[in-house]
Every structure is written in structure tokens, then in C-alpha cells.
Tab-separated table of all heavy atoms in Angstrom:
chain	number	residue	atom	x	y	z
A	2	ALA	N	7.407	-90.726	46.955
A	2	ALA	CA	6.310	-90.863	45.999
A	2	ALA	C	4.962	-90.436	46.579
A	2	ALA	O	3.952	-90.427	45.869
A	2	ALA	CB	6.223	-92.310	45.518
A	3	GLY	N	4.933	-90.105	47.863
A	3	GLY	CA	3.682	-89.711	48.483
A	3	GLY	C	2.786	-90.876	48.838
A	3	GLY	O	1.581	-90.706	49.051
A	4	LEU	N	3.365	-92.091	48.922
A	4	LEU	CA	2.593	-93.288	49.229
A	4	LEU	C	2.651	-93.670	50.700
A	4	LEU	O	1.852	-94.482	51.163
A	4	LEU	CB	3.107	-94.469	48.390
A	4	LEU	CG	3.013	-94.295	46.876
A	4	LEU	CD1	3.683	-95.482	46.180
A	4	LEU	CD2	1.570	-94.165	46.431
A	5	LEU	N	3.597	-93.095	51.414
A	5	LEU	CA	3.786	-93.423	52.826
A	5	LEU	C	4.106	-92.147	53.590
A	5	LEU	O	5.091	-91.471	53.282
A	5	LEU	CB	4.923	-94.444	52.984
A	5	LEU	CG	5.241	-94.936	54.393
A	5	LEU	CD1	4.068	-95.753	54.937
A	5	LEU	CD2	6.512	-95.786	54.378
A	6	ASP	N	3.275	-91.813	54.549
A	6	ASP	CA	3.496	-90.595	55.334
A	6	ASP	C	4.764	-90.721	56.168
A	6	ASP	O	4.954	-91.731	56.863
A	6	ASP	CB	2.333	-90.352	56.296
A	6	ASP	CG	1.060	-89.974	55.576
A	6	ASP	OD1	1.155	-89.452	54.467
A	6	ASP	OD2	-0.032	-90.225	56.121
A	7	PRO	N	5.640	-89.720	56.137
A	7	PRO	CA	6.777	-89.734	57.062
A	7	PRO	C	6.300	-89.477	58.489
A	7	PRO	O	5.315	-88.766	58.706
A	7	PRO	CB	7.662	-88.588	56.552
A	7	PRO	CG	6.746	-87.690	55.797
A	7	PRO	CD	5.637	-88.539	55.259
A	8	THR	N	6.983	-90.059	59.444
A	8	THR	CA	6.688	-89.771	60.845
A	8	THR	C	7.002	-88.308	61.136
A	8	THR	O	6.280	-87.631	61.870
A	8	THR	CB	7.504	-90.693	61.764
A	8	THR	OG1	7.216	-92.056	61.428
A	8	THR	CG2	7.163	-90.462	63.224
A	9	SER	N	8.093	-87.824	60.556
A	9	SER	CA	8.437	-86.403	60.621
A	9	SER	C	9.344	-86.093	59.437
A	9	SER	O	9.880	-86.988	58.788
A	9	SER	CB	9.131	-86.054	61.946
A	9	SER	OG	10.350	-86.758	62.072
A	10	GLY	N	9.516	-84.823	59.160
A	10	GLY	CA	10.330	-84.419	58.029
A	10	GLY	C	9.477	-83.876	56.895
A	10	GLY	O	8.244	-83.830	56.979
A	11	ARG	N	10.149	-83.469	55.822
A	11	ARG	CA	9.459	-82.790	54.719
A	11	ARG	C	9.913	-83.342	53.374
A	11	ARG	O	11.101	-83.602	53.162
A	11	ARG	CB	9.757	-81.286	54.786
A	11	ARG	CG	9.165	-80.470	53.653
A	11	ARG	CD	9.293	-78.991	53.950
A	11	ARG	NE	10.671	-78.560	54.073
A	11	ARG	CZ	11.424	-78.155	53.044
A	11	ARG	NH1	10.925	-78.136	51.826
A	11	ARG	NH2	12.663	-77.759	53.252
A	12	VAL	N	8.956	-83.530	52.463
A	12	VAL	CA	9.230	-83.959	51.096
A	12	VAL	C	8.674	-82.913	50.141
A	12	VAL	O	7.549	-82.429	50.329
A	12	VAL	CB	8.585	-85.329	50.781
A	12	VAL	CG1	8.807	-85.701	49.315
A	12	VAL	CG2	9.138	-86.416	51.682
A	13	ARG	N	9.451	-82.584	49.102
A	13	ARG	CA	8.972	-81.719	48.040
A	13	ARG	C	9.388	-82.301	46.687
A	13	ARG	O	10.549	-82.664	46.503
A	13	ARG	CB	9.537	-80.299	48.176
A	13	ARG	CG	9.031	-79.543	49.388
A	13	ARG	CD	7.559	-79.198	49.287
A	13	ARG	NE	7.088	-78.413	50.431
A	13	ARG	CZ	6.619	-78.940	51.555
A	13	ARG	NH1	6.577	-80.268	51.689
A	13	ARG	NH2	6.204	-78.176	52.535
A	14	LEU	N	8.426	-82.397	45.781
A	14	LEU	CA	8.690	-82.806	44.409
A	14	LEU	C	8.384	-81.624	43.505
A	14	LEU	O	7.235	-81.195	43.416
A	14	LEU	CB	7.831	-84.007	44.012
A	14	LEU	CG	8.067	-85.307	44.786
A	14	LEU	CD1	7.149	-86.406	44.274
A	14	LEU	CD2	9.522	-85.746	44.677
A	15	ARG	N	9.434	-81.060	42.910
A	15	ARG	CA	9.310	-79.853	42.099
A	15	ARG	C	8.606	-78.753	42.898
A	15	ARG	O	7.786	-77.996	42.375
A	15	ARG	CB	8.584	-80.141	40.793
A	15	ARG	CG	9.226	-81.252	39.974
A	15	ARG	CD	8.578	-81.413	38.627
A	15	ARG	NE	8.971	-80.338	37.732
A	15	ARG	CZ	8.186	-79.872	36.754
A	15	ARG	NH1	6.971	-80.345	36.581
A	15	ARG	NH2	8.613	-78.902	35.963
A	16	GLY	N	8.930	-78.686	44.180
A	16	GLY	CA	8.408	-77.645	45.042
A	16	GLY	C	7.043	-77.922	45.627
A	16	GLY	O	6.528	-77.112	46.397
A	17	LYS	N	6.431	-79.077	45.305
A	17	LYS	CA	5.079	-79.384	45.775
A	17	LYS	C	5.116	-80.478	46.833
A	17	LYS	O	5.936	-81.386	46.790
A	17	LYS	CB	4.202	-79.813	44.598
A	17	LYS	CG	4.019	-78.711	43.566
A	17	LYS	CD	3.142	-79.156	42.426
A	17	LYS	CE	2.968	-78.014	41.403
A	17	LYS	NZ	2.124	-78.431	40.267
A	18	ASP	N	4.184	-80.362	47.750
A	18	ASP	CA	4.068	-81.318	48.848
A	18	ASP	C	3.209	-82.496	48.391
A	18	ASP	O	2.009	-82.323	48.148
A	18	ASP	CB	3.426	-80.637	50.058
A	18	ASP	CG	3.281	-81.566	51.250
A	18	ASP	OD1	3.694	-82.736	51.164
A	18	ASP	OD2	2.749	-81.104	52.279
A	19	PRO	N	3.785	-83.708	48.259
A	19	PRO	CA	2.978	-84.846	47.801
A	19	PRO	C	1.902	-85.256	48.792
A	19	PRO	O	0.999	-86.027	48.444
A	19	PRO	CB	4.013	-85.960	47.618
A	19	PRO	CG	5.152	-85.581	48.492
A	19	PRO	CD	5.180	-84.083	48.495
A	20	PHE	N	1.983	-84.750	50.021
A	20	PHE	CA	0.980	-85.078	51.029
A	20	PHE	C	-0.003	-83.934	51.244
A	20	PHE	O	-0.867	-84.009	52.114
A	20	PHE	CB	1.665	-85.438	52.357
A	20	PHE	CG	2.625	-86.582	52.226
A	20	PHE	CD1	3.990	-86.342	52.092
A	20	PHE	CD2	2.177	-87.882	52.193
A	20	PHE	CE1	4.883	-87.387	51.953
A	20	PHE	CE2	3.060	-88.939	52.049
A	20	PHE	CZ	4.418	-88.695	51.931
A	21	GLY	N	0.128	-82.887	50.436
A	21	GLY	CA	-0.770	-81.754	50.562
A	21	GLY	C	-2.016	-81.919	49.727
A	21	GLY	O	-2.309	-82.982	49.165
A	22	ALA	N	-2.796	-80.834	49.618
A	22	ALA	CA	-4.075	-80.885	48.905
A	22	ALA	C	-3.882	-81.010	47.398
A	22	ALA	O	-4.677	-81.651	46.711
A	22	ALA	CB	-4.890	-79.628	49.230
A	23	ALA	N	-2.816	-80.404	46.854
A	23	ALA	CA	-2.600	-80.436	45.412
A	23	ALA	C	-2.168	-81.831	44.981
A	23	ALA	O	-1.302	-82.445	45.577
A	23	ALA	CB	-1.535	-79.417	45.022
A	24	SER	N	-2.779	-82.347	43.937
A	24	SER	CA	-2.452	-83.689	43.438
A	24	SER	C	-1.796	-83.663	42.069
A	24	SER	O	-1.451	-84.709	41.536
A	24	SER	CB	-3.722	-84.546	43.375
A	24	SER	OG	-4.666	-83.970	42.487
A	25	ASP	N	-1.623	-82.457	41.477
A	25	ASP	CA	-1.085	-82.408	40.130
A	25	ASP	C	0.396	-82.745	40.068
A	25	ASP	O	0.960	-82.898	38.989
A	25	ASP	CB	-1.330	-81.031	39.495
A	25	ASP	CG	-0.748	-79.901	40.325
A	25	ASP	OD1	-0.390	-80.148	41.499
A	25	ASP	OD2	-0.646	-78.781	39.799
A	26	PHE	N	1.061	-82.908	41.245
A	26	PHE	CA	2.462	-83.300	41.216
A	26	PHE	C	2.614	-84.684	40.592
A	26	PHE	O	3.674	-85.019	40.048
A	26	PHE	CB	3.044	-83.310	42.637
A	26	PHE	CG	2.778	-84.563	43.411
A	26	PHE	CD1	3.721	-85.584	43.450
A	26	PHE	CD2	1.578	-84.747	44.081
A	26	PHE	CE1	3.470	-86.744	44.154
A	26	PHE	CE2	1.331	-85.902	44.784
A	26	PHE	CZ	2.278	-86.907	44.823
A	27	ARG	N	1.569	-85.517	40.659
A	27	ARG	CA	1.660	-86.878	40.129
A	27	ARG	C	1.844	-86.886	38.625
A	27	ARG	O	2.322	-87.873	38.068
A	27	ARG	CB	0.422	-87.682	40.530
A	27	ARG	CG	0.309	-87.876	42.042
A	27	ARG	CD	-0.739	-88.899	42.432
A	27	ARG	NE	-0.874	-88.968	43.882
A	27	ARG	CZ	-0.065	-89.657	44.671
A	27	ARG	NH1	0.939	-90.330	44.151
A	27	ARG	NH2	-0.255	-89.667	45.980
A	28	GLU	N	1.452	-85.813	37.956
A	28	GLU	CA	1.672	-85.717	36.519
A	28	GLU	C	3.161	-85.648	36.196
A	28	GLU	O	3.573	-85.948	35.077
A	28	GLU	CB	0.964	-84.485	35.963
A	28	GLU	CG	-0.544	-84.511	36.148
A	28	GLU	CD	-1.192	-83.215	35.728
A	28	GLU	OE1	-0.462	-82.330	35.228
A	28	GLU	OE2	-2.420	-83.089	35.890
């Protein structure tokens, strides 16, 4: 959900990084 930073590894929601600059993934 992008609420807790992973120590390592990668998350993508519909191709977007929930920890990146773009916030429109929350929609």
C-alpha cells in the first residue's frame, strides 16, 4: 500500500512505484 518502506525489494501497483514521486497510484 506504500505505507511502509521495504528494507529492500520492489513494489509496483499497475506499474507505478508507490514510494516514488508519482502519487496518482492511490486513485
Side-chain angles (χ1 to χ4, degrees):
L4 299 174
L5 182 66
D6 291 335
T8 303
S9 62
R11 177 169 62 88
V12 176
R13 293 292 183 271
L14 297 180
R15 304 186 75 210
K17 297 181 180 179
D18 180 1
F20 302 98
S24 61
D25 57 346
F26 83 96
R27 296 192 184 279
E28 298 174 4

